[in-house]
Amino acid sequence: MFYAVAEGAVTEYDYLTMLQNAFSRQCSYRIDMPKYRSDDMKPWKVAQRALTVAEEDALRPDNEQYAEIWALFDRDQHGDLDDALSALKEHSKIRVALSHPSFDFWLYLHYGLYDQPQDGRNHQVHQLLSQRPGFAGFGARDKRITKARADHLMPRLKTAFDNARSLDRRCASGRCSHPRGSEPRCGLLDQDPSSGMWRLLESLGIPPFL
C-alpha cells in the first residue's frame, strides 16, 4: 500500500488514478489519496499532510502500514518549497517527486525530451503540451486527465519514464547544463526542467510492464 498527496486537486490525482486502474492488479499495489483535495495546497501543507499520515501510519500494525508515502511537489514560484523538502528529508518512509516547473512537464515528457530551463514558469510547457495529441486547450482552466487524454498518455508511459530518468542521470553524472557553482552535482531545486515521477513509477513496480 502506498499513500500520495499532491498540491493540486485535479491533475496529479487523475494521473494516479490512471496508474491505479492500469497497473494495480499486475503490480499488486494500492495508492491511497486524500479524500478532501484542496486546490490551493502549498508545499508546506503537502509536507504537513505527509508527516501527519506518517505519524498515524506508525501506530498501525506492521502489516497494515504503507510501504511508502509520496509527496508530489511543483517547483513553480513557491517560496516555502525548500522548507517543505527539508521537513521531509530525514523521514525514512516519505519520498518526494518534484516536477520542475510543474507536474505538467511530466505530462510533456510522454511526448518528448526537453531540457531548456523554465525558471518555475509553466507558459512554455503548456504551449508545447497543447500541440500534442489530446492536449489541445490544456492549461490553467483545463487540467483534467480525461479518458481521452489517458488513452494518449498510456502508450507513451515508457517514453516519459526514460526521459525523466535521463534528465536525472545527466545531473548525477555531471553532464547537465544547470548552474552548479561549487557543488559536485545539481541540487533538487536546481534541476530545471526535471521530474521525479519516474521514481514513483519505479517504486510501484510499473517499468517491467511498460
Side-chain angles (χ1 to χ4, degrees):
M1 295 190 299
F2 293 79
Y3 185 89
V5 56
E7 291 178 33
V10 176
T11 316
E12 291 92 332
Y13 294 116
D14 281 355
Y15 192 91
L16 292 172
T17 300
M18 179 188 82
L19 295 181
Q20 185 115 286
N21 292 340
F23 297 109
S24 61
R25 182 174 297 179
Q26 293 166 290
C27 302
S28 300
Y29 70 76
R30 186 185 83 210
I31 308 173
D32 288 345
M33 301 170 242
K35 292 181 180 179
Y36 173 73
R37 302 167 184 176
S38 172
D39 199 26
D40 59 352
M41 287 268 279
K42 301 301 182 186
W44 183 246
K45 287 192 174 183
V46 172
Q48 286 181 314
R49 178 60 183 165
L51 289 167
T52 297
V53 170
E55 290 175 4
E56 295 170 348
D57 188 59
L59 301 176
R60 300 189 183 98
D62 289 348
N63 64 345
E64 296 179 10
Q65 291 183 9
Y66 291 117
E68 293 173 350
I69 296 166
W70 281 81
L72 277 56
F73 294 104
D74 293 348
R75 178 64 186 95
D76 286 333
Q77 301 291 314
H78 295 311
D80 63 345
L81 181 54
D82 201 17
D83 290 338
L85 294 175
S86 295
L88 302 180
K89 189 174 182 180
E90 303 303 323
H91 201 291
S92 60
K93 190 171 283 189
I94 299 177
R95 301 194 63 187
V96 168
L98 172 67
S99 295
H100 199 324
S102 69
F103 187 82
D104 303 339
F105 180 65
W106 165 252
L107 298 180
Y108 178 76
L109 289 175
H110 289 68
Y111 296 94
L113 184 61
Y114 191 72
D115 63 358
Q116 298 302 307
Q118 301 297 300
D119 297 320
R121 296 176 176 83
N122 290 305
H123 175 73
Q124 193 166 17
V125 171
H126 286 171
Q127 187 176 45
L128 291 168
L129 189 56
S130 69
Q131 298 169 13
R132 302 300 175 176
F135 280 85
F138 185 87
R141 297 183 180 181
D142 180 13
K143 303 282 285 185
R144 299 306 306 237
I145 304 296
T146 61
K147 182 184 182 304
R149 285 174 175 164
D151 288 345
H152 285 289
L153 292 171
M154 284 299 300
R156 298 175 168 89
L157 200 54
K158 186 178 187 303
T159 298
F161 180 90
D162 290 343
N163 284 339
R165 185 172 58 173
S166 172
L167 290 172
D168 184 79
R169 289 181 172 177
R170 288 187 195 182
C171 287
S173 65
R175 291 184 290 109
C176 68
S177 59
H178 307 147
R180 298 165 61 85
S182 59
E183 296 296 321
R185 60 162 289 168
C186 291
L188 187 60
L189 296 182
D190 298 319
Q191 297 179 27
D192 176 18
S194 65
S195 177
M197 281 295 296
W198 70 273
R199 297 184 184 278
L200 173 55
L201 267 64
E202 192 170 61
S203 279
L204 296 173
I206 291 175
F209 297 95
L210 299 180

